[in-house]
């Protein structure tokens, strides 16, 4: 049996979208509905919003370090996954290029680790 090479991709895309839309609409149909005044208001976690950081000071750098850590690992996985899938077909140049990429990507990780971004209070 001969089929198109993109058929599995279309298959997973179709069922992924079917699951996503089915979950959203199924939750709306099967879920309990209760309306009250608190649900109609904008979400605030009980703390009065302020335009500045706490007590007018600076925003802690830990927020930025956490965002940077997420971006570093996100980009790393984005590039490592296709490389891992095609690892048996790549040559020595590709392996060396990926090792160089890992060294370059590890620099922000080491920086964040040295700044204490991985320590949670």
């Amino acid at each position: 049996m001969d089929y198109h090479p993109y058929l599995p991709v279309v298959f997973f895309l179709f069922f992924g979208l079917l699951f996503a839309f089915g979950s959203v609409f199924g939750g709306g149909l099967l879920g309990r509905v209760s309306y009250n005044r608190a649900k109609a208001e904008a979400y605030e976690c009980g703390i009065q919003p302020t335009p500045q950081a706490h007590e007018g000071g600076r925003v802690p750098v830990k927020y930025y370090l956490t965002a940077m850590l997420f971006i570093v690992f996100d980009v790393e996985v984005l590039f490592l996954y296709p490389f891992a899938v095609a690892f048996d077909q790549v040559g020595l140049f590709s392996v060396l290029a990926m090792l160089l990429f890992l060294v370059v990507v590890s620099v922000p990780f080491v920086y964040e680790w040295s700044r204490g971004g991985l320590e949670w209070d």
Side-chain angles (χ1 to χ4, degrees):
M1 180 174 176
D2 191 28
Y3 61 89
H4 197 275
Y6 287 111
L7 187 62
V9 175
V10 172
F11 177 76
F12 280 112
L13 179 67
F14 172 74
F15 280 107
L17 289 173
L18 181 70
F19 177 75
F21 286 116
S23 298
V24 169
F25 291 119
L29 292 175
L30 300 175
R32 184 176 45 197
V33 179
S34 62
Y35 294 105
N36 58 28
R37 193 178 77 178
K39 285 190 176 183
E41 294 179 6
Y43 175 74
E44 297 292 340
C45 59
I47 301 170
Q48 293 297 324
T50 58
Q52 298 177 351
H54 183 63
E55 297 179 1
R58 293 183 174 184
V59 176
V61 78
K62 187 172 282 196
Y63 295 115
Y64 302 111
L65 291 176
T66 304
M68 186 181 4
L69 183 67
F70 172 75
I71 290 171
V72 165
F73 283 122
D74 192 38
V75 168
E76 186 176 8
V77 169
L78 180 72
F79 284 107
L80 280 178
Y81 185 75
F83 179 77
V85 169
F87 184 73
D88 58 343
Q89 301 169 358
V90 298
L92 179 63
F93 178 76
S94 298
V95 172
L96 293 176
M98 189 52 64
L99 287 174
L100 178 66
F101 170 74
L102 289 175
V103 167
V104 169
V105 166
S106 66
V107 170
F109 176 71
V110 171
Y111 170 75
E112 183 161 355
W113 193 348
S114 69
R115 295 290 302 238
L118 300 176
E119 298 173 9
W120 298 103
D121 296 332

